[in-house]
Amino acid sequence: MIHLKKVNKRYSDNTYAARNMSLHITSGEFVSIVGQSGTGKTTLVKMLIAEERLSSGIIEIGNWDITNIKHSEIPVLRRQVGVVFQDYKLLPKKTVYENIAFALEVCGVKQGNIDMIVPQVLKVVGLEEKHDKFPQQLSGGQKQRVAIGRALVHRPKVLVADEPTGNLDTINAQEIIDLLLKINALGTTVLLVTHNKDIVNRLRKRVIAVDDGVIVSDQKTGKYII
Amino acid sequence: MLVSIYRTTKFAAQTFYRNLWLSVITIFILILTLFTVSLVATMNLLADRAISAVEEKIDVDIYFADNTSEENIIAAQMFLEDVPEVKNVRYVSKDEALEKFKDSHADNVDIQNALEELDENPLPASLIVQANELSDYEVIMQQFNNSEFDIFTEEKNFSDQQAVIDKLSAITTRVYQVGVAVSAVFIVISVVMMFNTIRLAIYAHREELAIMKLVGATNAFIRAPFILEGAFYAVLSSAIAMSLLWLVVLFTAPYVNDFFFGYNFNLDVFFYNNFLFIFSIQFLFSLILSVGSSMISIGRYLRV
Ligand SMILES: Nc1ncnc2c1ncn2[C@@H]1O[C@H](COP(=O)(O)OP(=O)(O)OP(=O)(O)O)[C@@H](O)[C@H]1O
Ligand SMILES: [Mg+2]
């Protein structure tokens, strides 16, 4: 499903965020990507949705080489790879419902379909009751759920969650992880970016550890080793 | 498709209202620009008409001595008609000249009485010559002076209005130059205004736009509202500028038409007959202006 071959990423100021990264993630997997702050995890996420271009190497998503993806094709890619951003990126002046509907509206989905999809998504992320609340009226975990819901509206093949438990207490964090596991069980490939040791250890799923842009370990049922 | 148009329109309307003050100023500047340009164009048209009106008035009257036979005058007329530069020649007989004179002084009793007392018609027969071009008169008169008919003439009266025309041309050229300069300034101002308005609209929506991009909105969808906004400015400003122009025409038409009395030119009729054409030109002009500057602004500030 996701294929990286010798990917290098150097930012214009000469910081390396990825060095010779190669990895293969198959369809339906649940993979955690761990590593300390500033090692290039978010950069990897950005490269997966062509928000950042690679300096060298190849990235394929579902046999589609997106290394030199055309501008006009980026929207197609972003509807296939749903991303939950580290900073949520919710619109403060829109309600929960509107924030999720927005992702469909701007992609030209018919109103009838929006009215059908959004309640379904709200149900999956467990926010039916909060649909008319604004982001500032929500807890961190709830905001995170809205972001996850929005990432799901296009029924992506891959869901990437960048540090979804960053600001949450253990119980809330576990709830988010459970939600991601549920989404994974429904058939979506899930990439979880985190530096939360407990969560990774409890998951008993594949763990890829990154340090300074280099993949230092890749274990089938791994533990957080750094 | 329809739903996209609806959402795009909603988005554009929102940006318009959120920056209402700026939107109003932008429209105002666009209107001023359109109005100035149309005013300059109108003045140019009027000046052209005025010059050709004066040119129409120019002719040469060749007066014949009283003893000249009508055959000779007709022969002279035929001679002149054969000169290629001549547009037309009209023969005014002694009787016709008298009739005209009487008519034009119908209310002057003294003149009427004086004419009654004369046995003979004191007015000469004449040929009124009009040339194709103003510059042709010299050639025509030269040819006539060298012809056999010159001996019959008593007087040649070249109603010289060249000086008037030159003066008129000079004034209108000057007005036109100033007009074009003022228009150019307004055009530049409105491009800058429009550019800036769209830039601010993009800035106000930067968060929304970034998220739109990240969730997979197409470039066209992201750009469309800003281009639509430009188009909206064009519609509104050209409609208002057109109304203003109409008002100006309404108020000045009586004076302008007076000036052109007898010249088959009517400002208001001209305006109504060409209404659609003028409006289309204005609309296209402001569309190019505003959509063009929106596009530049989008290209600069909306990296998609
Ligand atoms: N736009 C950029 N320009 C230059 N350098 C950048 C840019 N974005 C990130 N970097 C650098 O690249 C490196 C990796 O950054 P990245 O955001 O991928 O880290 P991260 O692993 O996601 O960290 P965290 O866990 O804190 O989110 C860092 O050293 C960062 O300073
Ligand atoms: Mg990060």
Side-chain angles (χ1 to χ4, degrees), chain A residues 41-42 86 162-163:
Chain A
K41 304 184 297 294
T42 298
Q86 199 166 358
D162 192 354
E163 217 74 73

Side-chain angles (χ1 to χ4, degrees), chain B residues 64 67-79 91 149 152:
Chain B
F64 289 87
N67 54 11
T68 313
S69 69
E70 192 153 63
E71 289 91 74
N72 278 328
I73 300 179
I74 301 289
Q77 180 179 13
M78 270 149 70
F79 169 81
Y91 169 46
F149 304 104
F152 303 121

Side-chain angles (χ1 to χ4, degrees), chain A residues 78-79 89 102 105 109 114, chain B residues 7 211-213 215-217:
Chain A
R78 290 182 182 169
R79 292 173 202 188
K89 293 203 198 300
F102 183 69
E105 278 175 14
V109 177
I114 294 178
Chain B
R7 283 176 197 149
I211 293 173
M212 281 166 90
K213 280 189 243 173
V215 298

